[in-house]
Amino acid sequence: MPAKYIQRLVLFLVGLLLAGHPVGAADTPAPTSREFESLVAPFVTKWCSDCHNENDSEGNTNLTQFKSLDELLEDRKPWQQVLKQLKAGAMPPDGVDGPADAERAKVIAWLERAVTHIDTSKPIDPGRVTIRRLNRTEYNNTIRDLFGVEMKLANEFPDD
C-alpha cells in the first residue's frame, strides 16, 4: 500500500478518535455560583476591593461590581486581566499584604475554568452564515482529498 494512502488512513482514524471525544471544556467541570460565593467573592473583598472598587478603580478595574457568577460570565474581560495579574504575582502589588500561595492557586484555577467556560446548554448565535459554492478546482480537490481518487468530475458540470 502506498505511503500516501497509509497517511490518509491514519489521519482519518485520528479524526474519528477526536470526533468521538471532545477535547477541552467537556473535561473540566463548569464553574458554580457556590464556588464564586465561597472562594472568589471573599478573595476579592479581602485582597482586591481596597484598590479596585467603584470609587478607586485602579487600572480602570472595578471588581466590586461583580456580585454573581452570571455577572462575571457576562463580562469576562476584566477577569482575564485579573487572572493574568494573579498568575504573574503582580497583584496585590509589592509592599501590600497578599494571599497565601495556596489560596491564590485555588482562585487562579477557578478563574481559568470560569473565564474559558462555554455554556453548551444555551443556543449559540453563529451570526450571518454565508453559503457559497465550491468552484470546479475546489470541488475536484475535495473529491481527491476525501476519496483518494484523482477524478475531474467538476469538468463535466454545466456552465453557470
Side-chain angles (χ1 to χ4, degrees), residues 94-111:
D94 292 336
V96 177
D97 288 340
D101 290 340
E103 184 181 7
R104 180 190 304 266
K106 284 181 186 177
V107 171
I108 287 172
W110 189 87
L111 282 174

